[in-house]
Amino acid sequence: MGDQKKDDAIFQIGTKLWLKGFENFTLGPGDVRLIKSLQKTKNLTRTSEDLGYSYKYGWSKLRSITKKTGRPVVISHKGGYGGGGNVTVTPWGTYLVELFSMVQERLDHFSQIINQEIAKKSFKDSIN
């Protein structure tokens, strides 16, 4: 903030989104990044590496979503001798990504509006 005084500090709101469901289910940004990446790569090993996850952790997240929602997020296809399998994101997985993205987009828009209002309001104006 440099030369700015604490009385003149500009604040902004920050948000982090989770969608909450039944059975303590939450869908957060990490879950959505995982599913979105799988839509592109169709490979959990590559996706896990890209996201800094272990392969085991990636599968654990997918199994957790499937268990808590009662619907599979991906379908795995085994490879031949020596591996080489892939995964396909199900329509349910695609729905979750689209729903989260829609809500995130609206939340970001609302946050921008509020931050513009905050930027216009100064401490000095509020005490006069």
Side-chain angles (χ1 to χ4, degrees):
M1 289 192 183
D3 293 334
Q4 232 175 1
K5 297 177 189 171
K6 287 184 183 178
D7 292 345
D8 295 331
I10 297 173
F11 294 94
Q12 292 187 338
I13 64 166
T15 62
K16 187 168 182 182
L17 174 65
W18 292 275
L19 296 180
K20 292 184 176 184
F22 46 88
E23 306 248 347
N24 295 320
F25 171 68
T26 57
L27 182 76
D31 302 314
V32 172
R33 275 192 303 275
L34 176 65
I35 298 168
K36 279 176 131 177
S37 183
L38 286 171
Q39 287 174 320
K40 293 177 187 171
T41 68
K42 300 185 184 318
N43 184 292
L44 184 58
T45 301
R46 189 173 333 139
T47 286
S48 296
E49 288 173 0
D50 290 349
L51 297 176
Y53 298 160
S54 70
Y55 179 85
K56 183 178 177 181
Y57 181 73
W59 265 125
S60 173
K61 286 179 79 67
L62 294 170
R63 278 193 300 270
S64 177
I65 296 168
T66 296
K67 180 180 178 185
K68 289 184 177 182
T69 64
R71 296 180 183 191
V73 179
V74 296
I75 298 171
S76 61
H77 308 279
K78 293 185 179 189
Y81 182 77
N86 62 23
V87 295
T88 303
V89 174
T90 64
W92 177 243
T94 299
Y95 168 78
L96 293 175
V97 167
E98 289 172 354
L99 178 64
F100 187 92
S101 298
M102 183 266 303
V103 174
Q104 183 68 64
E105 186 176 302
R106 291 182 182 182
L107 183 60
D108 290 346
H109 176 73
F110 188 63
S111 296
Q112 286 177 339
I113 292 168
I114 292 173
N115 283 332
Q116 289 169 356
E117 291 174 7
I118 289 171
K120 292 176 187 175
K121 184 165 182 64
S122 75
F123 176 69
K124 289 176 186 172
D125 292 340
S126 69
I127 59 173
N128 291 331

